[in-house]
Amino acid sequence: MNKSMYDLLMRLPLLGWVAFTATAQLRGLGQFMNMATPVDFVYGIHLAMRLSTVAFLLLAAAAVILRTRPSGKATGAEPRISALAGSFMLYIIVLFPRHELPLSLEMVSTAVTLIGTVGSVIALAQLGRSFSIMAETRQLVTSGPYRFVRHPLYLTEEIATIGVFMQFASAWTALLVVLQLGFQLRRMQNEEAVLTVSFPEYGEYRQTTARLIPGIY
């Protein structure tokens, strides 16, 4: 099998997942808009959150379709396991009981999720054709939110995770979130190792930007 065919086949599982998730989100969006719910500020926040999630999924699909072939990639099983676990582990949270939150906490949860999702859309749009689930290199992106932190997409995804966690909070879901964060941190290390090898200028960029939170980490 040549490299072009292999690269195409590697895109199909992610495209399938994006298509499935986007379809479910669009179905949920349609049901939400058909509900007899007052059109107020709360409605607007919920609608914006759902629309931003759909936008993120569509951007992810476009990035996977249009992305270039990788110029470098991590070797071994661990980077792949960390990437997949960090990306998809959190979806298990929907199998746990969801709490009926007071309106104030429901608004906080939805607003935090919205902030994280909109931030993810912005980071993914900046990443563009360099987007990848696995630890691979295509083009070094240092503009937009990447001027301030090395992994803005992971940062915004974790912000959205906090909002979702509030709706399913328990000892077990807290453990799930901690494990997912651990895989994400390991994923960042794997990506930085590959980027350092592929791009000599990455070392200087790494010295001048925070990994996730400026001035802290």
Side-chain angles (χ1 to χ4, degrees):
M1 182 183 297
N2 60 45
K3 292 183 178 180
S4 297
M5 181 60 69
Y6 176 80
D7 185 55
L8 175 61
L9 291 176
M10 290 300 99
R11 301 178 197 221
L12 294 180
L14 181 56
L15 285 174
W17 172 82
V18 169
F20 172 79
T21 309
T23 300
Q25 288 291 335
L26 287 170
R27 186 181 300 114
L29 176 62
Q31 293 172 348
F32 174 76
M33 296 182 69
N34 290 329
M35 292 173 58
T37 305
V39 180
D40 53 15
F41 180 73
V42 176
Y43 178 91
I45 291 292
H46 277 279
L47 181 61
M49 182 190 71
R50 292 170 182 271
L51 287 173
S52 62
T53 300
V54 172
F56 176 80
L57 291 168
L58 294 178
L59 269 176
V64 171
I65 293 172
L66 299 175
R67 71 185 184 186
T68 56
R69 287 174 55 187
S71 57
K73 60 179 65 177
T75 58
E78 183 274 318
R80 291 167 173 78
I81 293 171
S82 295
L84 292 173
S87 297
F88 303 113
M89 175 180 283
L90 193 67
Y91 287 90
I92 301 173
I93 203 170
V94 299
L95 301 178
F96 292 86
R98 183 171 181 169
H99 303 302
E100 290 293 332
L101 298 176
L103 179 59
S104 58
L105 288 181
E106 179 71 26
M107 284 298 300
V108 171
S109 170
T110 304
V112 171
T113 305
L114 173 61
I115 291 169
T117 307
V118 170
S120 297
V121 170
I122 294 171
L124 181 58
Q126 190 66 47
L127 197 58
R129 299 176 69 185
S130 295
F131 169 72
S132 178
I133 294 292
M134 300 301 177
E136 300 173 337
T137 58
R138 288 176 172 82
Q139 180 181 357
L140 181 60
V141 178
T142 59
S143 57
Y146 288 85
R147 290 179 297 169
F148 309 106
V149 294
R150 301 196 297 272
H151 302 280
L153 182 55
Y154 297 152
L155 172 61
T156 52
E157 286 178 344
E158 293 307 314
I159 292 173
T161 294
I162 294 172
V164 174
F165 168 74
M166 290 178 64
Q167 301 178 30
F168 296 89
S170 70
W172 287 109
T173 55
L175 177 61
L176 179 65
V177 170
V178 169
L179 287 173
Q180 187 263 350
L181 178 59
F183 279 114
Q184 289 288 70
L185 292 173
R186 181 57 184 166
R187 185 180 180 188
M188 295 174 208
Q189 294 173 353
N190 292 330
E191 290 184 359
E192 291 181 6
V194 179
L195 287 165
T196 300
V197 172
S198 297
F199 303 104
E201 64 271 31
Y202 187 76
E204 181 179 353
Y205 167 71
R206 184 174 178 177
Q207 293 297 321
T208 57
T209 54
R211 176 173 280 171
L212 282 178
I213 306 173
I216 299 177
Y217 178 70

